[in-house]
Amino acid sequence: MWLNPEEVLLKNALKLWVTEKSNEFFLLQRRRGHGDTGGKFTGLLVGALDSVLDSNARVTPFRILLQMPGSQVSWTIACGKLSDISLLCAAVGEMNRHWDWLVQNLLHSLSVFENKEDVASFVKGKVKGLIAEEVRGRQAAQEEEPEKFREALLKFELCFGLPSSEKLVTTYSCCCWKGRVPRQGWLYLSINHMAFYSFLLGKEVKFVIPWAEVTRLERVSTGLMTDMVRVMTRRCQLDFSMFLSLDEAFGVIGQLADIALRRLLDSEGLELDRVLQQSSNITKRVLEEQALRTYVLALFRLPRGERLQEVALCSVWTPHARCHTTGTLFTTDSYLCFASRDEGHCSLLIPLSEVISIEKAESTSLLPNPVIVSVRSKKAFQLIELQDRDSLVDGLTSRLRALQWKHSMFRSKKSLVYYSNTTNCIVKYFGDLEISIYYFESYTKTMEQVKERLWEDHFPEYGRGVHMFRTEKIQKLVAMGIPESLRGELWMTFSDASSELASHPGYYSGLVTESMGQSSLATEEIERDLHRSLPDHPAFQNVKGIAALRRVLTAYAHRNPKIGYCQSMNILASVLLLYTKEEEAFSLLVAVCERMLPDYFNRRVIGAQVDQSVFEELIRDRLPELAEHIPDLSPLSSISLSWFLTLFLSVLPFRSAVCVVDCFFFHGIKAIFQLGLAVLDANATALCASADDSQALMILTGFLDQVKYDEDPSPPTPHPSQSGEEEGRPPVKQHTLITDLIADSYEKFGDLTVRQIEKLRCRHRIQVLQAHEDTTKENALRVVTPDVSLSPENLADVYDLFKTEHFINLYWGDGGTTLALQHHDPGRPYVEQYRVDRVQFKSLYMLLVPWLCGFHTDTVAHRTFTLLDQDRDSLITFREFAGWLDTLYFEELNEKVRLLYRLHIPPALTESEDDPSPLKSPQLSTTRPLHVELPNGEMRDFQEQLKQMLKDLAKEKEKDVEQPVPPMNQREFIQFCKTLYSMFHGNPDENELFQAIATVTSLVLQIGEVGHRSRCSGSEVSSEGGAGDEVEDDHREGSQEDHPVFSTEEDGERKEGTSKSSGSESQSEWAVSYAQILASLLTEQQLVNFFEKPMDLSAKVAEAKVKQYHERAGLLMLQQGTS
């Protein structure tokens, strides 16, 4: 490959290079030991050094140098960078092509240059042009180091044989441990796989692991290595170490696995950025940008659709601190966000909808590169030390103008919801409906007044509204509990629901108008849960309160049908309605469900389960003593599910729980993690002494019940552990104040950051999704097992093959995949979640069918798919596939023959099917003798053969009556025979089987002719002599019209048609039945042995596991190469 020219001072340092070709300006050199059959030891030694030390000069087996006559300096302009012997031929061919191009296109032109420097510049320019031409349109152009990446991409394609559509993302040099033996090599990370290659001391090690198989990622320490990346799959465990940047590698591995699983397993239900939905867009740079974007969205709780635009270091003037605070400015489509260096110390959120102007001020030594941002509340924010100020301001101004124009289009629209407040109630109006929601006040207002005064003092200095400075001081005020009069306003401020509401006037009222009166599953569930929402609260003990809750929930279900309605949303919406206006409550519900708790409210509550798993790891990390006493923390994390789903509203007393909601709106999910850890820490002693899970549940439930609000006068509930004084436990205090519990959570666990949570979520989402996949597999196998005879192990392996085939099509499909296959739908029944189309089925057919049919195999596979596709949606479910395999491998002979028979009649065989066989339209002979010739030359009379056939038919009579199949015409029978002949080809008993099927074919043709004659003549067949009479009687007994074995619906129709018209087509058509063919086959022991021979499905499945991936990849590469 062409390289950016690089100086080489010593053309043959240490005599490690051998010159193969040379001329005045160029040298083609081979690395000593590569391609030299006489230097095996040298080759192993140099190869080992090349793999371990990994420098460009040492791993190149071939190179082309540009040399100047009389100069000691040369330049490397091309190399064959392949270090393993198996790819040496490719390197030789590539280097010879490069050499020929140089000789033919450049060598003669260089003689006209008089200056050596001009020659070097000319050649360098040409080589750089070649490189640019090669990388144009390829992924390498998107990387920071295109040449190195291009080299890695070529080796990835050659080493692993994957299709070109398998996009490489990045590579890392590392060690892969096999027991205690490290293998130094390269880890290749692509969009669908991780692959490792090592070639050391003549030994090659390589493997490919799909991300869909990765079940867990960990950073571990062992006795040999202090820090390793452990990748666990369902089949193996792999350890990698000695990364130059382990943090970066671990993060990229986790991101790629997470993205692949979300894209493959539930791209519709899980929120995945649209950039990542197209795998062709994924590069290392995109991954870095997406990791930063995810962090910013989580830190500031921004809408999920916001795109990160600019990131710049700067300082912001903070009036409360009387100084500039250093941090980072993040700009998105609709927001300016500032975060100090220490997360949580100081942050600022400015919606562009609140901005009036963005101006550049004069730069001075004290205020370098200042920018002034003015907002509607007549405040201004000063940012300084912006490195790329001009482009930043231009981008912000452009987006601001677009947003202002958009909002100007809706200025005349006003919300239909308006309100008035009274002293002791919140009165709300929706249209002409007045709703009075009263809250009970039995405590003094002294503490409320104190808190109100603190907030009123806070606002002038730190700001009021969404663009207030969010500092540690405001955190302390929130932890004390937001006063009732300010709670709704501050919830709207902290969540920025106020900006969304202002940007879309009339949106909620429009949704209500559209949704009211409609009926759906979501509305039915809402009606069922309406009266379960805070049933003890007076606000929801009247019709008006219930109606308001119904409108909010129904409007949201109409807005977001993907979520619709999920349990616990009713509790959350009820609390929001108590402190905000109805339209504001809807906006807050949107913010919680779609921004603050992503993926929580879907069919499988994946987000909540992910956070449960994260919580379990935090317990191990932050509460090691508790984790040591309770090794299995899954019961504790399961108890916490309701904590996350309802924000403690369902487990704490109401007023205490509302204080938790205060913290949640200010700090996001971090507040719930902190409080959960604080609850476990407060009960650690009792939990360690608990005998079982039920006792632990009682301890936590009792503790949460007695957590009270500061001024709540209701009597405390005894802690469950208090009743156990006889067991030696110390008595506990009567109740715990929620403010003390929250303060304790900030003091002990306040160092937990949003960045840490997002990294943990990324890793644990992999575990949760794979756990769901395991559940799906278990249930699918449970449903299918009663219907088949496959062993549990074989059935599980077949399921894996079936699922892998589905994934392979998603990895490397040509874009023509059926829409139903492009997205995995976990909402479908377990056996229908993975389906395959015709092409995928043919691939599995080739791997698993016990009898291949040579060139006829593809035709038989096509008919099999058509037969199994009973609902005609061009897709096969796992149940249908497993039933087909069960018939082939474990059913009795008659069922196998029945399957083959059905493959050659409609709907499997169609009239339009193209068949190149010369027997497509054979002519019947009406003079064929009624006898058969046996393999030993003996002639058996047809009468004797028919009697034997009828005896065999009697054994199958009942089954055939239960499952009748239509008769087969002449064309279909010829196709049936063709399939049998192709099945026997290559069999060790091929000759005997061919003779047997020839005998059966002749016999069945004669049977068909007899029936054909009888229907054509309209009378029974007559023959001479007593023997003829016997044959006539026997045939009448075994004819389709009279024998009950042959009674089918089509026969009935044929009889009816005959009675109406003796000249009908059905009366004269040549036909044989399944029972006649089966009976004929039963007369040949060789055929019986063939179909009854036991077949080893386990061996076939084991072989398929090895072959499936690479054969399918090879086929796709062939298709891509010929397209």
Side-chain angles (χ1 to χ4, degrees), residues 975-996:
Q975 292 296 320
F976 178 80
C977 296
K978 180 179 178 180
T979 299
L980 290 178
Y981 273 102
S982 60
M983 283 172 54
F984 302 149
H985 183 70
N987 190 284
D989 301 324
E990 178 180 325
N991 293 333
E992 293 80 359
L993 288 170
F994 282 165
Q995 292 176 359

Side-chain angles (χ1 to χ4, degrees), residues 29-205:
Q29 294 184 331
R30 171 177 55 84
R31 180 82 165 166
R32 188 177 298 278
H34 289 272
D36 185 358
T37 56
K40 294 183 179 179
F41 177 79
T42 304
L44 289 175
L45 179 60
V46 175
L49 290 173
D50 292 343
S51 295
V52 174
L53 299 179
D54 183 42
S55 67
N56 290 336
R58 293 191 175 109
V59 300
T60 305
F62 296 94
R63 69 181 183 182
I64 296 178
L65 299 180
L66 168 65
Q67 61 174 358
M68 295 293 104
S71 173
Q72 294 296 319
V73 179
S74 301
W75 291 268
T76 304
I77 59 174
C79 73
K81 194 148 188 173
L82 299 169
S83 59
D84 55 296
I85 298 176
S86 62
L87 301 175
L88 192 60
C89 293
V92 172
E94 183 183 39
M95 296 307 295
N96 285 330
R97 288 192 299 271
H98 289 346
W99 178 265
D100 293 340
W101 188 91
L102 292 170
V103 171
Q104 295 172 11
N105 295 279
L106 290 186
L107 188 60
H108 298 294
S109 302
L110 299 181
S111 59
V112 302
F113 290 94
E114 299 179 356
N115 193 325
K116 296 179 182 179
E117 295 181 0
D118 293 340
V119 172
S121 299
F122 177 79
V123 174
K124 290 177 184 179
K126 281 291 185 182
V127 171
K128 289 179 180 179
L130 291 172
I131 294 175
E133 185 177 348
E134 283 188 13
V135 302
R136 187 178 295 116
R138 290 181 62 88
Q139 180 187 357
Q142 305 174 19
E143 302 298 324
E144 294 180 358
E145 301 180 75
E147 296 170 26
K148 289 186 178 179
F149 188 85
R150 182 166 153 269
E151 168 196 322
L153 180 61
L154 177 61
K155 187 169 183 180
F156 173 70
E157 292 174 350
L158 293 176
C159 286
F160 302 103
L162 299 178
S164 58
S165 56
E166 181 62 24
K167 184 176 180 180
L168 182 65
V169 176
T170 189
T171 61
Y172 292 99
S173 175
C174 65
C175 276
C176 179
W177 291 77
K178 186 176 181 181
R180 293 181 174 271
V181 179
R183 285 283 176 185
Q184 177 67 33
W186 285 91
L187 182 65
Y188 297 84
L189 305 180
S190 68
I191 53 177
N192 297 306
H193 303 82
M194 63 179 299
F196 180 78
Y197 182 85
S198 172
F199 186 81
L200 192 64
L201 295 176
K203 185 173 180 61
E204 182 183 63
V205 175

